[in-house]
Amino acid sequence: MTAHTEQTLVEPLSFAGVGLHSGAEVQMRLIPAAAGSGIVFRRTDLDNFEIPAIGRNVAKVSYATSLMRQGVLISTTEHLLSALIGYGVDNVIVEIDNLEVPILDGSALPYIDAIEATGVKKQRRRREYLKILKDVEVQDGGKFIGVYPGMGYQIDYTIDFPAPIGRERFLGDLETGAYASLIAPARTFGFREDEPMLRDMGLIRGATDACAIIIGGGAVQNGPLRFEDEFVRHKVLDLIGDLALAGRRIQGRVVAERAGHAMHTALVSRLMKDRSAWELAPVFEEEAVAV
């Protein structure tokens, strides 16, 4: 059993790019924050209006996870939140000058590379974990997600898509410290056949083959893949980012079958509403799971 302290960045980090869905150019800075601050988005184009990255601010979830407070929106937050929670960064201010987080290469790797290059620093406050005490589940037809008591931060995720993806399963433990190598590089993906529909919906205006795996005609059009099972690993990346909206890293076991952003955030909502399902624990019970 290990007691950890909270962490923040050593120095500010800057990123620039376009939003996956809006296509809008965006400048973003990650700034070290005081212990106990959590992750807070700050819209520098709107008088520094702040939106904490917590479950009650989840606004719109379909092809991305968006946050909203008092009508102010932050969209496509999942990859950045995944990188921060996955690497163990508890407190940071995210300054951003537009409504959507930049997609970069479609993974969390650019964030991890930047954080590793400058480092993180420990803070005096002890980190509190969201320790799961009882089963909490969400089901929608053949889609399912549940969280259960357990040691570490275990994830068991299964997806089932048309060829060439098929059925893939990932089983691992975030507490092994392997997020940077096993999860962060996995990129988002999409089917060429869905492009007209999505563009008609006002989505993927910033999508290119430099920021997503493109599948068409039953094959990957812009390979090679970074992992043989890169698709399910990206779903795990999304899951970690969406569950970060619980406000703290989870201690327990998460099982997902054909889930997505809507079900991930529905699980967070259900957890937050059931105070008997979890407790805040400063000590983390670790048990490595083979990956």
Side-chain angles (χ1 to χ4, degrees):
M1 301 222 303
T2 306
H4 298 140
T5 61
E6 291 186 357
Q7 297 184 131
T8 190
L9 303 173
V10 169
E11 59 185 54
L13 301 174
S14 297
F15 301 90
V18 300
L20 173 64
H21 295 298
S22 66
E25 293 188 5
V26 57
Q27 302 282 333
M28 186 174 74
R29 293 177 76 225
L30 309 184
I31 301 173
S37 300
I39 301 168
V40 178
F41 288 88
R42 178 183 290 162
R43 285 286 299 268
T44 59
D45 59 324
L46 295 174
D47 296 324
N48 289 330
F49 188 87
E50 293 188 345
I51 307 175
I54 52 178
R56 68 170 175 265
N57 290 331
V58 172
K60 185 173 58 174
V61 178
S62 54
Y63 293 94
T65 298
S66 300
L67 305 176
M68 183 180 287
R69 178 170 167 258
Q70 296 179 20
V72 177
L73 184 70
I74 292 288
S75 185
T76 318
T77 60
E78 58 269 17
H79 297 175
L80 173 58
L81 293 178
S82 182
L84 294 172
I85 203 80
Y87 202 77
V89 179
D90 302 280
N91 304 301
V92 66
I93 301 294
V94 182
E95 288 192 343
I96 187 167
D97 68 354
N98 214 316
L99 62 82
E100 189 175 16
V101 175
I103 189 61
L104 304 179
D105 77 342
S107 78
L109 189 59
Y111 300 122
I112 297 301
D113 286 345
I115 293 169
E116 288 188 330
T118 56
V120 296
K121 63 180 179 181
K122 294 184 179 299
Q123 298 176 289
R124 293 183 181 274
R125 183 185 176 113
R126 285 198 304 175
R127 179 186 288 159
E128 290 184 318
Y129 296 88
L130 199 74
K131 182 178 180 179
I132 303 302
L133 300 178
K134 71 178 188 181
D135 302 357
V136 178
E137 299 175 335
V138 177
Q139 186 151 5
D140 181 10
K143 301 177 181 180
F144 171 86
I145 187 169
V147 63
Y148 309 92
M151 300 175 72
Y153 187 172
Q154 303 168 39
I155 296 174
D156 183 349
Y157 208 121
T158 302
I159 61 172
D160 193 355
F161 282 93
I165 300 175
R167 191 171 177 85
E168 292 183 350
R169 182 186 183 194
F170 179 89
L171 176 64
D173 194 324
L174 191 58
E175 283 309 306
T176 61
Y179 176 89
S181 60
L182 296 182
I183 303 299
R187 295 161 294 171
T188 193
F189 57 92
F191 289 84
R192 182 72 72 186
E193 292 83 353
D194 294 336
E195 183 177 357
M197 173 195 70
L198 293 173
R199 291 193 182 276
D200 285 347
M201 294 169 62
L203 301 172
I204 66 168
R205 293 173 179 172
T208 69
D209 61 5
C211 69
I213 304 168
I214 308 299
I215 302 163
V220 174
Q221 296 187 342
N222 59 336
L225 296 178
R226 294 177 177 177
F227 305 98
E228 185 178 350
D229 59 348
E230 185 168 358
F231 305 103
V232 71
R233 290 178 192 246
H234 184 77
K235 288 296 186 180
V236 172
L237 186 157
D238 283 345
L239 171 74
I240 294 165
D242 289 339
L243 295 190
L245 296 170
R248 292 172 174 84
R249 182 182 283 213
I250 287 173
Q251 178 181 325
R253 181 171 62 94
V254 182
V255 179
E257 172 87 23
R258 298 177 61 215
H261 294 303
M263 295 196 72
H264 300 166
T265 54
L267 181 64
V268 171
S269 177
R270 190 160 295 184
L271 264 176
M272 295 300 97
K273 290 176 181 176
D274 187 352
R275 188 61 184 82
S276 68
W278 51 272
E279 66 180 5
L280 297 180
V283 175
F284 200 91
E285 299 172 1
E286 297 176 283
E287 179 180 71
V289 173
V291 177

